[in-house]
Amino acid sequence: MVRIVDNDSDYDESSSLPMSQQEEWSDVVPIPQDDGKNPVCPISYTDEYREMTDYFRAVMAAGEVSQRAFELSGRVIDANAAHYTAWVYRKKLILDLGLDISEELSWVSEISGRHIKNYQLWHHRGALLALLLDPKSLEHESQDQRVQNPAIRNELQFVGEVIDNDSKNFHAWSHRQLVVRSYGIWDQEMAYVETQINQDVRNNSAWNQRYFVLTANQSADEFVLSEEVADREIGYAVEKIKLAPNNESPWSYVIGLLARHAPAMLYERLLPKINELAADKDYAIAVTSTPFYWSALVDIYEEQAKALSVDERGGVEAFAEEACDSLAEKYDPIRAKYWEYRKQALRTAN
């Protein structure tokens, strides 16, 4: 049964009845879902859900702005969090009724445990935060001051708890990026990222967040990677590679960072570091046994060849081809065809 409770009144027995028998809804003519004349695959809804959405459909059709419509939207959402239209109408009701945004955020927090990977829930939460705290109102505050703002602090705490429960929750990380970007709180985020990587060096989402923070969400054309920062990031990635050489995350991070923002540093700065690691007796076997080391060599030598004239690049291309052979034959045979393709591409590049 659907229970609609007015916030200003105590619960009574009538609220446990079907909506068609509740006095509160006697003035509403429900609108059934129209699946067409001969639906190919009609969805088998429960009677309770069907009735609830029929009444909600009528409320929306009438453009009703009321507390009961707002409460009904919550029931529909909690029954089916993917009901995008219910979220949209709920936001409209919040604005039209002038409801407390903080209370709505609390409600979203309450139901999030049941719908933690629902796109609409996170989108709604982001919209609420923007309504609660206009980023322009913080333009003259320092990052330290912004982080101490109750709304921002609460939001970071909420999303942090979600990440603690599921460190690779894509929605939570995306929402965290929204908060950081909207309110310009870049400085403190790097410390958070390092904590997450220290807890799990294989957490690709945390490595992705590191790149997001480092570049401050700038495009490749806007972001300038200084030699100082490049050396720091190379050193950081190499130290994490030492912890788990067969972990793809730091390899992908440092190769991607340099390839996009400072290609020459791949062979000028990164190559000596990983070759040094590969020659170190404490790490040599583990490092040279992982496909990520050989894959890195292919990417680095390929980039170096581009910087040389056609007559000069032969030796470098040979190194890259040898790495492709090692991958195809020994370290990554499941993708042998791909490495054969990469080898051919090296030979045909101008």
Side-chain angles (χ1 to χ4, degrees):
M1 301 299 176
V2 178
R3 177 183 173 189
I4 305 297
V5 180
D6 186 88
N7 286 346
D8 298 322
S9 62
D10 295 327
Y11 167 69
D12 61 70
E13 292 183 2
S14 65
S15 60
S16 65
L17 298 171
M19 294 181 71
S20 59
Q21 297 177 33
Q22 293 182 31
E23 180 64 28
E24 181 184 6
W25 295 98
S26 61
D27 61 316
V28 177
V29 178
I31 299 176
Q33 179 169 309
D34 183 3
D35 288 328
K37 213 171 186 182
N38 299 297
V40 176
C41 187
I43 300 173
S44 181
Y45 298 115
T46 64
D47 291 339
E48 292 85 356
Y49 181 76
R50 181 179 292 104
E51 182 187 51
M52 179 166 54
T53 51
D54 286 354
Y55 274 86
F56 188 62
R57 205 171 288 113
V59 165
M60 289 191 295
E64 181 177 322
V65 176
S66 66
Q67 185 66 28
R68 71 176 184 178
F70 175 70
E71 291 169 357
L72 181 57
S73 72
R75 298 292 180 177
V76 171
I77 287 168
D78 204 17
N80 176 14
H83 198 307
Y84 176 76
T85 309
W87 285 104
V88 172
Y89 200 71
R90 185 174 178 86
K91 181 185 173 185
K92 168 182 163 48
L93 292 171
I94 290 168
L95 295 174
D96 290 349
L97 293 168
L99 300 179
D100 189 318
I101 303 298
S102 296
E103 287 188 8
E104 178 68 1
L105 278 168
S106 295
W107 177 80
V108 174
S109 298
E110 287 173 11
I111 69 165
S112 64
R114 298 187 290 279
H115 314 291
I116 201 62
K117 293 188 176 181
N118 174 267
Y119 281 100
Q120 285 76 28
L121 181 143
W122 287 101
H123 177 78
H124 187 67
R125 190 171 189 101
L128 292 173
L129 185 61
L131 291 171
L132 181 66
L133 184 63
D134 184 352
K136 291 181 180 178
S137 67
L138 305 180
E139 285 180 347
H140 302 297
E141 293 188 3
S142 68
Q143 291 195 39
D144 287 341
Q145 290 174 319
R146 294 175 195 175
V147 171
Q148 293 305 313
N149 184 287
I152 295 175
R153 190 172 65 247
N154 290 341
E155 202 62 18
L156 290 177
Q157 181 180 349
F158 170 77
V159 75
E161 289 172 356
V162 174
I163 291 172
D164 285 344
N165 289 327
D166 180 358
S167 63
K168 299 179 182 179
N169 185 318
F170 167 81
H171 306 275
W173 281 106
S174 295
H175 186 72
R176 193 171 183 98
Q177 289 188 0
L178 173 70
V179 177
V180 171
R181 181 174 56 248
S182 298
Y183 298 102
I185 48 175
W186 302 97
D187 294 346
Q188 58 83 37
E189 188 65 9
M190 188 59 85
Y192 176 77
V193 167
E194 292 194 359
T195 298
Q196 292 297 312
I197 292 175
N198 288 339
Q199 289 177 354
D200 178 8
V201 74
R202 293 175 174 80
N203 188 346
N204 229 43
S205 299
W207 283 98
N208 180 66
Q209 188 79 348
R210 186 177 183 89
Y211 176 79
F212 169 76
V213 176
L214 181 69
T215 61
N217 203 36
Q218 299 175 73
S219 68
D221 294 332
E222 296 172 315
F223 176 69
V224 177
L225 182 63
S226 68
E227 292 184 0
E228 179 185 357
V229 173
D231 286 339
R232 184 194 72 198
E233 294 304 301
I234 289 170
Y236 183 83
V238 168
E239 288 304 308
K240 299 308 178 186
I241 287 170
K242 288 179 181 179
L243 296 175
N246 201 36
N247 168 30
E248 185 175 6
S249 296
W251 292 101
S252 295
Y253 171 77
V254 72
I255 292 289
L257 174 67
L258 298 179
R260 187 174 189 192
H261 300 289
M265 292 186 187
L266 281 168
Y267 46 88
E268 292 174 358
R269 284 177 148 75
L270 178 61
L271 182 60
K273 290 292 185 183
I274 63 173
N275 280 340
E276 182 182 322
L277 194 59
D280 189 317
K281 62 182 178 61
D282 293 328
Y283 302 103
I285 295 176
V287 169
T288 58
S289 298
T290 176
F292 308 121
Y293 165 71
W294 296 97
S295 174
L297 291 181
V298 174
D299 292 332
I300 292 169
Y301 288 132
E302 184 178 43
E303 195 60 50
Q304 187 175 12
K306 293 177 186 176
L308 300 172
S309 67
V310 175
D311 294 333
E312 297 174 317
R313 65 178 59 163
V316 173
E317 288 179 341
F319 288 143
E321 289 176 8
E322 287 176 17
C324 285
D325 288 337
S326 295
L327 284 158
E329 296 167 11
K330 185 175 182 180
Y331 298 108
D332 193 20
I334 197 168
R335 295 199 301 161
K337 292 293 184 183
Y338 170 73
W339 295 116
E340 289 170 12
Y341 162 76
R342 287 289 298 271
K343 185 176 177 179
Q344 289 301 317
L346 285 164
R347 292 175 176 173
T348 58
N350 294 320

